[in-house]
């Protein structure tokens, strides 16, 4: 009698294994298909733009390989300006995300902003002499009056990079890799005359550059969003980056110990350029978010 029972157990064991395998496969498939519970949703244009403050450090000089780019304006206020070809000159700054006076970006926004690192290269181009009215977007500076400025000649192109091989998470990369800002000289050079406490946000620089009180002085540039030919930007990302206008002010800041970084381009159009070594030698400017002619980012 025991022999048939033994045969039944031998017959059922493979069946149990098959059921377990099918069950595990279904569970695995569910994990592959379902979105991650921690996936980051894109912030609204207003939320992202209003909290994007970049401290711009002077760097050791570096001349990238000859690279010519075709740039088109993205912001609605400047959409009538002509498309323009520029050639990358020497790198002069690295602009990194900071908070002002310990006012952090909201949850879900800070996760994106902390990875906005822009390497700025000297360019030249067409003088546009466009008159604009600028108003501050960040809550810390909203008490400042509007400024009437004239946007003159392009001076820098600032493009996204990763530092020391620390690449943003995929949802963040999908946004920050398409941030390209063309920085124009402006006149007059309005005095802000405001003391601000700046604290680093990017993981690579937290702990390397201490929080510091800086004196913000004269406005020098207006950095406006552009699209590089060949860059395929998703519509939901385009709707955010087209509102990124930063006014750059000179700052008087404490000296820092030099910080050496390895930079790698994030934008697909520049992805074939070699990695760069950059040593930050001191803070030079602060870029703060502004709106032009009363046209505010949606959201």
């Amino acid at each position: 009698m025991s022999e048939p029972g033994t045969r039944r157990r031998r017959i059922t064991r493979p069946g149990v294994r098959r059921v377990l395998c099918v069950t595990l496969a279904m569970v695995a498939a569910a994990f592959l298909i379902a979105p991650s519970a921690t996936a980051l949703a894109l912030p609204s244009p207003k939320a992202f733009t209003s909290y994007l403050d970049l401290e711009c450090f002077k760097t050791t000089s570096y001349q990238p390989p000859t690279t010519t780019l075709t740039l088109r304006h993205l912001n609605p206020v400047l959409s009538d300006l002509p498309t323009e070809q520029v050639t990358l000159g020497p790198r002069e700054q690295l602009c990194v995300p900071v908070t002002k006076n310990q006012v952090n970006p909201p949850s879900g926004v800070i996760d994106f902003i902390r990875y906005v690192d822009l390497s700025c290269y000297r360019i030249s181009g067409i003088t546009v002499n466009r008159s604009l009215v600028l108003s501050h977007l960040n809550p810390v500076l909203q008490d400042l009056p509007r400024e009437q400025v004239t946007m003159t000649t392009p001076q820098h192109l600032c493009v996204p990079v990763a530092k020391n091989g620390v690449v943003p998470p995929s949802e963040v990369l999908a946004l920050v890799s398409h941030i390209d800002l063309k920085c124009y000289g402006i006149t007059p050079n309005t005095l802000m005359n405001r003391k601000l406490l700046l604290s680093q946000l990017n993981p690579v620089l937290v702990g390397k550059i201490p929080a510091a009180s800086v004196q913000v002085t004269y406005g020098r540039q207006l950095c406006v969003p552009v699209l590089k030919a060949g860059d395929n930007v998703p519509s939901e990302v385009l709707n955010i980056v087209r509102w990124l206008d930063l006014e750059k002010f000179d700052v008087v800041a404490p000296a820092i110990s030099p910080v050496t970084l390895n930079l790698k381009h994030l934008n697909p159009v520049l992805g074939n350029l070699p990695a760069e070594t950059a040593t930050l030698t001191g803070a030079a400017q602060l870029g703060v978010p502004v709106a032009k002619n009363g046209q505010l980012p949606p959201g």
Side-chain angles (χ1 to χ4, degrees):
M1 294 296 291
S2 61
E3 187 175 352
T6 304
R7 283 199 298 270
R8 280 198 298 272
R9 286 193 295 272
R10 287 174 182 170
I11 291 169
T12 56
R13 283 173 183 165
V16 171
R17 284 198 294 269
R18 282 196 295 273
V19 171
L20 287 173
C21 288
V22 170
T23 302
L24 289 172
M26 292 174 65
V27 171
F31 276 104
L32 289 173
I33 295 168
S36 169
T38 59
L40 292 170
L42 285 173
S44 71
K46 181 181 179 182
F48 183 75
T49 301
S50 298
Y51 286 91
L52 184 62
D53 296 299
L54 299 181
E55 187 175 17
C56 298
F57 290 86
K58 293 178 287 186
T59 70
T60 46
S61 184
Y62 169 80
Q63 176 61 55
T66 302
T67 304
T68 300
L69 302 167
T70 301
L71 306 178
R72 175 171 65 85
H73 284 277
L74 288 177
N75 188 271
V77 175
L78 302 177
S79 60
D80 61 318
L81 291 179
T83 297
E84 182 175 29
Q85 279 197 336
V86 302
T87 299
L88 294 185
R91 183 195 64 224
E92 295 184 341
Q93 289 183 338
L94 180 70
C95 298
V96 300
V98 292
T99 63
K100 300 192 305 291
N101 294 354
Q102 298 182 321
V103 177
N104 287 325
S107 175
V109 177
I110 191 172
D111 305 277
F112 290 86
I113 285 178
R114 63 165 35 110
Y115 287 103
V116 180
D117 295 301
L118 302 181
S119 186
C120 299
Y121 302 84
R122 176 66 64 172
I123 60 170
S124 58
I126 301 167
T127 299
V128 296
N129 287 333
R130 176 62 60 91
S131 181
L132 299 166
V133 176
L134 306 181
S135 52
H136 287 276
L137 291 176
N138 187 270
V140 175
L141 300 178
Q142 280 189 340
D143 61 313
L144 291 174
R146 293 185 175 188
E147 301 171 54
Q148 178 86 41
V149 302
T150 298
M151 190 174 84
T152 59
T153 305
Q155 298 174 343
H156 290 102
L157 180 66
C158 299
V159 299
V161 292
K163 302 191 305 291
N164 292 359
V166 179
V167 177
S170 58
E171 312 98 298
V172 177
L173 182 64
L175 171 58
V176 303
S177 63
H178 297 291
I179 297 175
D180 295 299
L181 300 182
K182 189 178 183 183
C183 299
Y184 288 78
I186 54 173
T187 59
N189 302 123
T190 304
L191 177 66
M192 182 188 291
N193 195 29
R194 181 70 60 94
K195 184 168 284 190
L196 297 170
L197 177 67
L198 303 184
S199 305
Q200 299 299 316
L201 276 179
N202 186 271
V204 174
L205 294 181
V206 171
K208 290 186 177 179
I209 298 178
S213 180
V214 305
Q215 185 72 30
V216 186
T217 60
Y218 293 95
R220 298 294 182 187
Q221 291 183 329
L222 179 63
C223 300
V224 299
V226 291
L227 177 69
K228 299 195 298 290
D231 190 10
N232 185 22
V233 185
S235 59
E236 64 273 16
V237 172
L238 187 64
N239 191 45
I240 298 173
V241 299
R242 71 179 351 135
W243 298 100
L244 295 180
D245 296 302
L246 300 183
E247 185 177 6
K248 275 188 184 180
F249 289 82
D250 290 345
V251 297
V252 179
I256 64 167
S257 298
V259 178
T260 299
L261 302 166
N262 182 267
L263 307 180
K264 181 62 180 174
H265 287 278
L266 291 178
N267 187 269
V269 176
L270 300 178
N272 290 329
L273 288 180
E276 306 174 12
T277 298
T279 298
L280 310 187
T281 58
Q285 293 181 314
L286 176 67
V288 298
V290 293
K292 302 191 301 291
N293 294 357
Q295 292 207 20
L296 301 176

